[in-house]
Amino acid sequence: MTGSILTLNAGSSSFKFAVFGQGSTGELTTALRGQVTSLGAAPCFVAHDAAGTELVDRRWAEGRRPAFAEVLDAMLAFVDGHAGQGGLAAVGHRVVHGGADHLAPARVTAALLGELKALVRLDPLHMPHNIAPIEAMASARPALPQVACFDTAFHRTLPAVARRTGLPRELEADGIRRYGFHGLSYEHICGRLAEEAPALARGRVVVAHLGSGASLCALRQGRSIATTMGFSTLDGLLMATRCGSLDPGVILYLARAGHGFTEIEDMLYHRSGLLGVSGVSGDVRELLASDDPRAAEAIELFTYRVAAETSAMACALGGLDGIVFTAGIGEHAPAIRAAVCARLAWLGVTLDPTANAANADLISQPGGRVEVRVIATDEERIIARHTKAAIERPGAT
């Protein structure tokens, strides 16, 4: 395959994109990265080259609200000018949910698109936003191959006991089970860990993907055997605006008290978590800088839950050899890492304060029983790699 690969990671009001070229031996090289924010309002389109130099900062006028197709066309026109020799060869998409059947990246076809639409019932908040750019791209560039890369696929190795819920067994046939998410991030960390610390990669590791969405994954020899997110992205850890694990009785109580379905859904996804507990912000940076005691309480609850769930992951693993922090909070918040690890001292976790403050790659004390690392995630590179492989696979059409 010649040409560049475009990756798209779409959310409800924004999308991230990246362009990867190919070196002489076929290796992927970053050409540019960017994002479009405030979709549906006054979009802002920003992109940087591999060195971080800003290439474009375009803003639509307030109140104009351009259609998604117009924003996509503007992004594609820009990308065409930076795609290099051969132009764009393919587009890879992050798709949050692959259900029980999509266990590997797949070339987008009319049949696959129909299957993705059928999965909206399992994830009505994310899947429509993942499907929209696929359809828009098919309309704008019908000859351009597209590949769907599923966040749930990495967790296909979960044992049955880690997939099952305590609900009536017949509901499993309707798709109610634990799926796990953030799989593209975990896949990247596995690859990096194998390069940086191969002995640890073969052991028992908990990866903490801590961003606005947050989850943990228990890895044994690089395979997912447990994770904190389950049927939906609401489960597990406290997050920026999501509640995390919650007694189902609370939802029943709210419903009996007269709160409607839409109101409860909005509360659980958008008004809970760090924002809901603090009443200040869902952004860890703002909470750490705040003098409001509620901000400190929210941070304490967040780190408590991360440590408690890490302990559960260690139980699933039968021990713990290492912890890897990744994503925005995990990579850039030494205070959060320190607070989490202090609660895990009983497991043999000891940090080097100087290395932790510097966001070093290895932040545990030398000779410590549990190795603690910080590794930057790169979901876009994994999407590009899968896209390239899917397009070059024999028999691909």
Side-chain angles (χ1 to χ4, degrees):
M1 183 185 76
T2 59
S4 299
I5 297 171
L6 170 67
T7 67
L8 288 176
N9 185 343
S12 60
S13 61
S14 65
F15 65 83
K16 294 189 293 184
F17 67 91
V19 174
F20 292 85
Q22 299 183 77
S24 57
T25 60
E27 75 278 9
L28 295 171
T29 57
T30 306
L32 61 88
R33 293 177 185 265
Q35 62 180 339
V36 176
T37 57
S38 300
L39 288 170
C44 175
F45 167 33
V46 178
H48 299 80
D49 65 16
T53 302
E54 186 173 273
L55 301 175
V56 63
D57 183 350
R58 176 180 174 183
R59 299 169 189 270
W60 277 259
E62 288 284 346
R64 183 162 175 268
R65 299 192 178 216
F68 182 80
E70 179 184 336
V71 178
L72 182 70
D73 284 344
M75 186 270 291
L76 285 173
F78 172 80
V79 165
D80 284 338
H82 294 79
Q85 187 175 5
L88 281 182
V91 184
H93 299 264
R94 175 185 177 231
V95 177
V96 171
H97 216 306
D101 298 325
H102 296 292
L103 306 181
R107 182 81 173 261
V108 174
T109 62
L112 177 61
L113 194 55
E115 292 168 10
L116 296 185
K117 290 179 178 179
L119 290 174
V120 170
R121 67 187 182 87
L122 294 180
D123 190 354
L125 293 183
H126 292 98
M127 289 300 286
H129 303 298
N130 293 162
I131 293 169
I134 295 176
E135 293 186 316
M137 188 65 69
S139 177
R141 303 284 175 94
L144 194 61
Q146 299 191 77
V147 175
C149 302
F150 302 100
D151 238 354
T152 48
F154 181 77
H155 302 291
R156 64 189 177 276
T157 56
L158 288 174
V161 69
R163 294 196 307 266
R164 189 158 288 137
T165 72
L167 293 170
R169 195 180 191 94
E170 58 268 22
L171 291 176
E172 288 187 35
D174 194 40
I176 298 180
R177 47 158 284 191
R178 297 178 60 81
Y179 291 95
F181 300 90
H182 290 141
L184 296 169
S185 175
Y186 291 129
E187 183 177 353
H188 177 76
I189 297 304
C190 282
R192 285 287 308 278
L193 196 59
E195 296 172 358
E196 297 180 12
L200 181 59
R202 293 190 293 270
R204 301 163 299 182
V205 179
V206 174
V207 181
H209 177 106
L210 306 181
S212 58
S215 69
L216 305 178
C217 182
L219 300 175
R220 181 186 290 134
Q221 297 182 339
R223 294 163 63 88
S224 172
I225 68 158
T227 188
T228 54
M229 281 183 172
F231 174 75
S232 76
T233 59
L234 274 177
D235 201 8
L237 304 179
L238 192 79
M239 302 174 227
T241 63
R242 299 178 213 162
C243 59
S245 296
L246 182 71
D247 181 345
V250 173
I251 300 173
L252 299 179
Y253 172 85
L254 291 171
R256 290 193 188 102
H259 297 275
F261 174 84
T262 301
E263 180 189 357
I264 293 173
E265 184 177 50
D266 180 66
M267 181 190 303
L268 298 180
Y269 275 100
H270 304 298
R271 294 189 283 120
S272 298
L274 292 169
L275 174 63
V277 174
S278 71
V280 175
S281 174
D283 190 320
V284 161
R285 294 167 296 185
E286 294 182 21
L287 295 178
L288 288 172
S290 175
D291 294 328
D292 192 317
R294 299 174 301 166
E297 290 171 355
I299 291 292
E300 182 182 26
L301 182 57
F302 178 72
T303 56
Y304 168 81
R305 293 276 287 271
V306 173
E309 294 279 6
T310 300
S311 302
M313 296 291 106
C315 176
L317 288 166
L320 185 64
D321 300 312
I323 299 172
V324 176
F325 288 96
T326 192
I329 299 169
E331 295 168 27
H332 303 295
I336 298 297
R337 296 193 298 260
V340 169
C341 290
R343 289 185 178 275
L344 296 172
W346 66 278
L347 275 172
V349 179
T350 55
L351 287 193
D352 178 333
T354 302
N356 183 48
N359 295 320
D361 296 338
L362 179 63
I363 61 173
S364 49
Q365 288 279 7
R369 193 162 81 232
V370 177
E371 193 170 307
V372 185
R373 290 184 168 268
V374 178
I375 299 178
T377 194
D378 191 346
E379 294 163 310
E380 286 73 26
R381 183 169 295 277
I382 292 296
I383 295 169
R385 187 177 300 161
H386 282 315
T387 300
K388 182 176 186 292
I391 297 303
E392 293 179 341
R393 190 176 300 130
T397 57

